[in-house]
Amino acid sequence: MDSLLQVSIDFEHSHLVFPTIIACILGVLSVAILLTRYKQSRQSVTQAPELPATDGTIEGAGEGMDKPRFFGTLLLTLLYFSAMVPVGDYWPNTGLGFLLCSIPYILATGLLFMHERTLRNARALIAVALIAPTVIWYLFTELFFLTLP
């Protein structure tokens, strides 16, 4: 009966739990998409428009690209990851670095990708930017006892 009350953690492999769970979920979702949309995806592949012929150079590679959103996303993501640890160092082992950096990151990224920047859409985005990171921070900190950066 003593063995039921003892917990042993294999620290060499315990960090692989969440990536394994995520990989399994993504695999199941991929199979579900393939099973439910196979016919539709086959039609879209056969009806795909012809791509213009190129001579193998990189010129013209980004013609149809939305450059402000692409480079804006890269910049915001770099700022987000580089600011998370220094902000979190002010309140170590609390996850506030994640929380305080995620709110403006989600808000800025949402505004960047928002096609119609109306007050109504902005209110919804502000609500998501405040609620989603707060719920994630609470779940990890209080329920899972995991510290975020």
Side-chain angles (χ1 to χ4, degrees):
M1 190 66 163
D2 285 337
S3 64
L4 291 176
L5 301 175
Q6 293 179 350
V7 176
S8 64
I9 298 173
D10 182 12
F11 287 107
E12 291 183 21
H13 299 98
S14 64
H15 65 283
L16 299 174
V17 171
F18 282 114
T20 304
I21 291 171
I22 298 298
C24 290
I25 291 171
L26 288 175
V28 168
L29 290 175
S30 298
V31 169
I33 289 171
L34 287 174
L35 291 176
T36 59
R37 310 265 175 147
Y38 177 75
K39 192 174 190 178
Q40 182 182 12
S41 66
R42 291 292 299 161
Q43 288 175 352
S44 65
V45 168
T46 58
Q47 297 172 356
E50 291 293 322
L51 295 174
T54 61
D55 58 356
T57 63
I58 197 156
E59 294 171 8
E63 283 181 18
M65 183 171 81
D66 189 352
K67 290 177 183 159
R69 288 188 176 134
F70 176 75
F71 291 113
T73 302
L74 286 178
L75 178 68
L76 286 171
T77 303
L78 287 172
L79 286 172
Y80 173 64
F81 283 116
S82 62
M84 196 180 311
V85 172
V87 171
D89 285 342
Y90 285 111
W91 302 279
N93 300 324
T94 60
L96 288 176
F98 165 81
L99 181 63
L100 296 176
C101 289
S102 294
I103 292 171
Y105 175 72
I106 291 173
L107 183 63
T109 306
L111 286 172
L112 182 66
F113 280 91
M114 190 180 292
H115 290 286
E116 294 180 27
R117 291 186 183 97
T118 62
L119 185 59
R120 181 178 182 198
N121 290 344
R123 281 187 197 146
L125 178 61
I126 290 169
V128 168
L130 289 171
I131 293 169
T134 305
V135 168
I136 291 169
W137 171 77
Y138 178 79
L139 286 174
F140 274 84
T141 305
E142 298 297 324
L143 299 179
F144 298 137
F145 301 110
L146 295 172
T147 57
L148 296 167

